[in-house]
Amino acid sequence: MKKSEMKFATKVIHVGGHPDPETGAVMPPIYQTTTYAQESPGKHKGYEYTRSHNPTRTRLEECLASLEGAKYALVAASGMGITTLIMHSLPPGSTILCGDDVYGGTYRILTTVFHKIHNIIFVDTTNIKNVERAMKEHKPQLVWIETPTNPLLKITDIEKVTQLARSHKALSVVDNTFMSPYFQNPLSLGADIVVHSMTKYLNGHSDVIGGCLMTNRKSLYEKCWKLQNTLGPSQSPFDSWLVIRGLKTLAIRMQAHEKNALKVAKFLEAHPKVEKVVYPGLKTHLHHKLAKKQMKGYGGMITFYLKGDIKKSKRFLERVKVFTLAESLGGVESLIEHPAIMTHASIPKKLREDIGISDNLVRLSVGIEDSEDLIRDLENALKSL
Ligand SMILES: *Cc1c(COP(=O)(O)O)cnc(C)c1O
């Protein structure tokens, strides 16, 4: 069967997953090597040095490309490594229009590193009029969006923003980490590049740091690959192998995350000690209709506002037992965190509060445990407030 004809749950297992031609090993070898023997100087099988290429990584890239329906995928040692490559691929002095509610690390790298070579403009991309105005005023070379946003789960219309970018000859990038390719495919909605932190859902087991980009543009892919070879944030063969292993269950994991998240969101929505629940799958979500249109599901991330102050929030976060108090997301285990103190502390307090990251905001990464245990755990912790 051609890989383009396979369904998602087949692709994650079989694309790039052919048995080893030499031994028949069903699972791909970990090519734990830095260098490759050459037949004659310059004559080799496409592999020279592992910073540039590695066969385990090649298999992972082949699978990842198929999941976003892309011609090319590039894997790096972290999501931030991928962001670094994309930023360096632009000519110095470029203007970047970036969503104002993005991953804290994205905000940090743009405002503390890349502002030295590019002009960085932040805009609320959930409002298309804002984007249109900012495009006209700033004439960006690249538009960077994240949808749903982190942690407030606001939805940007990918089709509209990428179309606007195209009409202004700007490239568009979508950070698709929160949805994974199972629930959202930005390239098919018009994006030039899609990026993922593989650390989250793609690997799914909270034991690897990694990032990737997928694109149909050969020149962009080649530029980023050359930069990776030069700058050096390549992923180790073992980590690539772990992601190959994690990916195999991506389809069933995403289904389980979503099923649990919907139950947890409904439980929280009905609880008297909860002020407000934000989950794109709830009809009360500000952008529920758009979410329904451009996503195939609503994912496993929930944020909610407790009734109370920072003291109560802290107490609640200390009392949960099944949820682990930790940063990050997208693993099989449920995590809970406090964005203002933890993941989003690098955003200035005033800006943080302006966009709604207040002291009573809590973020959940709902795992795939039994939903009754998750709900009981939250119920017990809420009871203690
Ligand atoms: C974690 C994350 C990143 C950064 O990825 P790392 O693998 O931690 O470098 C980027 N974007 C989003 C949305 C993330 O959640």
Side-chain angles (χ1 to χ4, degrees), residues 78-80 103 106 146 150 175 177-178 197 199-200 209-210 329:
S78 68
M80 296 322 295
Y103 175 67
T106 304
E146 192 178 310
N150 176 15
D175 185 335
T177 301
F178 268 38
S197 166
T199 313
K200 318 294 165 53
I209 300 283
L329 60 113

Side-chain angles (χ1 to χ4, degrees), residues 92-140:
S94 294
T95 295
I96 292 148
L97 203 63
C98 182
D100 68 354
D101 180 23
V102 289
Y103 175 67
T106 304
Y107 178 84
R108 183 173 56 207
I109 203 172
L110 293 178
T111 55
T112 65
V113 178
F114 287 107
H115 73 297
K116 291 174 190 161
I117 53 175
H118 299 315
N119 311 308
I120 317 287
I121 313 281
F122 291 97
V123 60
D124 175 5
T125 56
T126 61
N127 180 340
I128 197 74
K129 291 241 160 62
N130 273 350
V131 181
E132 207 163 359
R133 207 176 311 124
M135 292 266 195
K136 277 192 192 130
E137 188 184 340
H138 301 289
K139 302 185 173 50

Side-chain angles (χ1 to χ4, degrees), residues 163-187:
Q163 201 176 346
L164 260 179
R166 208 160 37 249
S167 70
H168 285 79
K169 298 202 163 42
L171 290 171
S172 52
V173 181
V174 178
D175 185 335
N176 199 23
T177 301
F178 268 38
M179 279 300 107
S180 91
Y182 186 70
F183 283 138
Q184 181 168 272
N185 301 113
L187 295 183

